[in-house]
Amino acid sequence: MWTDRIGFWDLLNPAAHGWTTPVMLELRQRFPFLLNDHVLASSLSHGERQILELVMALLTEPRLLLLDEPCAGLSHQETAQVVDTILWAQTELGFRVIVIEHDMELVRRIADRVIVLHQGKFLAGGTVAAIQANPTVRAVYLGDSLMTDFSLEFDDISGGYGGGLVVRDVSASVSPGKVLCVLGRNGVGKSTLLKLACGYLPLTSGSVRLYGRDLAGVSAFQRNWSGMTYCPQERVVFDDLSVAENLLLMSPHKNVDAFESYFHTFPRLAERRDQPAGTLSGGEKKLLSLVRGLSENKPVIVIDEPTEGVQYENVMKMANLVNTRKAEGTAFIIVEQNLTLVDEIADELLVLDQGKIALAGSASAISRADIQAHMIV
């Protein structure tokens, strides 16, 4: 705990803590109010006091950092700064972190594993996606007001570009640990549907809900923060950045070694990790986009045509990765033309024609012939 009548720079004196100057400079860059060296701690705002306590804890060079609701009462901007700093302490300084937290959006951003307690007893443990899919946790922790069987659902949504409607009155949903595949000919509105669901295009009508929360007015960035990852069909990577830099850009990890299992699955990415992503083939860019999306560890992943230009062997590897994440409770919505992948991963199907639903239902109940009838130009 800080002391009101001490200038907080005295508390943060690197010589007093044996801390390295580069780390201190990093912290001062992250939190500019620390540049006011001799301001009394009592004059700080609530948010600045919270942040000061975090900085003081970091200066003790702990092996294990214990944080009790570190973002309580902070503004959205302050919360984002604290979250980024916690991730930096984990990845760059090697700290292990245990956080007590009620804000599920924050938990999704920083947690590798979650333990849920109820009335002093262990209730559940696992990945963020598994916890969010756990019906007992949802009933006890989230409460009846947010109880829903679906991770992501949209009701009667319509929208398009400018004044023209591309998607008309489409409804669908996907549950934790399930894959909804969206099919149809080129130009029938599949990609537009994903952009509407993810907030990249405005709805003309209808609603989108994430774990029961209406996303009206919620930006694409905020939807990502809340637990949605989107992998687009086009411009899937940043060409001027290396493969490794593309992977690290949105990842909680800051060391490319964290992607070793993915590099083992797709050796070409390992071989080219230091090359500009723009030098990859179209299929290799798709692999990179998929790995980037999976590595964000969001409970809902939306992917637009992941197998376009990808070799059959790698398509099967993609299917294995998706099925592994399904088993952990992740929900997927995937636009796809490759029926081989669809056969391997799909639980539910949504077939579009001219922006409307042509077929919808369980993958086991819709025949390939019926699907193909709506995919032939």
Side-chain angles (χ1 to χ4, degrees), residues 49-183:
R49 294 182 185 190
Q50 286 277 94
I51 292 168
L52 177 58
E53 290 184 12
L54 171 63
V55 172
M56 290 171 62
L58 292 173
L59 291 178
T60 66
E61 194 174 356
R63 288 187 175 182
L64 178 63
L65 183 62
L66 305 178
L67 300 173
D68 190 352
E69 297 192 35
C71 296
L74 301 190
S75 68
H76 180 77
Q77 180 180 1
E78 289 170 334
T79 297
Q81 290 175 315
V82 167
V83 168
D84 286 343
T85 301
I86 293 171
L87 292 171
W88 168 73
Q90 288 176 282
T91 56
E92 296 297 318
L93 304 181
F95 294 170
R96 297 178 182 272
V97 182
I98 297 177
V99 181
I100 293 175
E101 187 54 64
H102 295 284
D103 184 341
M104 284 304 298
E105 295 185 8
L106 190 153
V107 171
R108 292 184 193 109
R109 183 84 168 91
I110 66 175
D112 297 304
R113 295 190 64 79
V114 179
I115 292 175
V116 181
L117 302 180
H118 181 58
Q119 296 181 345
K121 296 181 179 180
F122 176 85
L123 183 66
T127 63
V128 174
I131 290 299
Q132 289 190 300
N134 186 304
T136 304
V137 173
R138 288 161 57 204
V140 171
Y141 183 71
L142 296 179
D144 291 339
S145 65
L146 290 181
M147 276 297 291
T148 172
D149 292 330
F150 306 117
S151 299
L152 183 66
E153 51 191 326
F154 33 92
D155 291 331
D156 295 325
I157 64 173
S158 300
Y161 305 88
L165 289 183
V166 177
V167 171
R168 297 174 176 83
D169 303 321
V170 173
S171 298
S173 59
V174 62
S175 301
K178 301 294 183 181
V179 174
L180 168 67
C181 282
V182 182
L183 307 168

Side-chain angles (χ1 to χ4, degrees), residues 134-334:
N134 186 304
T136 304
V137 173
R138 288 161 57 204
V140 171
Y141 183 71
L142 296 179
D144 291 339
S145 65
L146 290 181
M147 276 297 291
T148 172
D149 292 330
F150 306 117
S151 299
L152 183 66
E153 51 191 326
F154 33 92
D155 291 331
D156 295 325
I157 64 173
S158 300
Y161 305 88
L165 289 183
V166 177
V167 171
R168 297 174 176 83
D169 303 321
V170 173
S171 298
S173 59
V174 62
S175 301
K178 301 294 183 181
V179 174
L180 168 67
C181 282
V182 182
L183 307 168
R185 298 188 302 272
N186 290 334
V188 298
K190 303 185 301 296
S191 295
T192 303
L193 176 66
L194 298 193
K195 291 176 182 178
L196 291 169
C198 294
Y200 290 94
L201 288 174
L203 296 178
T204 301
S205 60
S207 63
V208 179
R209 294 185 298 279
L210 180 66
Y211 289 101
R213 174 193 176 193
D214 193 329
L215 297 180
V218 179
S219 69
F221 167 76
Q222 291 170 321
R223 295 181 196 206
N224 177 269
W225 178 274
S226 298
M228 294 175 63
T229 288
Y230 172 56
C231 302
Q233 179 185 8
E234 299 176 346
R235 295 188 291 276
V236 296
V237 299
F238 292 94
D239 286 348
D240 294 335
L241 299 180
S242 70
V243 169
E245 288 169 337
N246 268 273
L247 292 175
L248 294 172
L249 195 61
M250 293 293 291
S251 172
H253 307 289
K254 298 305 177 186
N255 190 318
V256 76
D257 292 342
F259 297 88
E260 201 57 47
S261 63
Y262 293 114
F263 287 149
H264 179 75
T265 302
F266 301 121
R268 290 291 284 178
L269 296 183
E271 295 168 6
R272 302 190 173 195
R273 71 178 71 183
D274 296 321
Q275 291 183 213
T279 64
L280 300 180
S281 68
E284 290 167 347
K285 289 180 180 180
K286 287 289 187 177
L287 298 181
L288 177 57
S289 177
L290 176 71
V291 170
R292 190 271 305 166
L294 292 175
S295 69
E296 286 188 28
N297 292 321
K298 304 290 186 182
V300 177
I301 301 179
V302 179
I303 312 177
D304 196 348
E305 298 208 21
T307 68
E308 188 176 24
V310 177
Q311 297 176 347
Y312 175 81
E313 176 186 4
N314 285 330
V315 170
M316 292 297 99
K317 291 179 178 180
M318 283 181 162
N320 289 336
L321 288 175
V322 170
N323 285 329
T324 296
R325 291 294 295 275
K326 276 176 58 178
E328 296 174 356
T330 301
F332 288 86
I333 297 181
I334 300 178

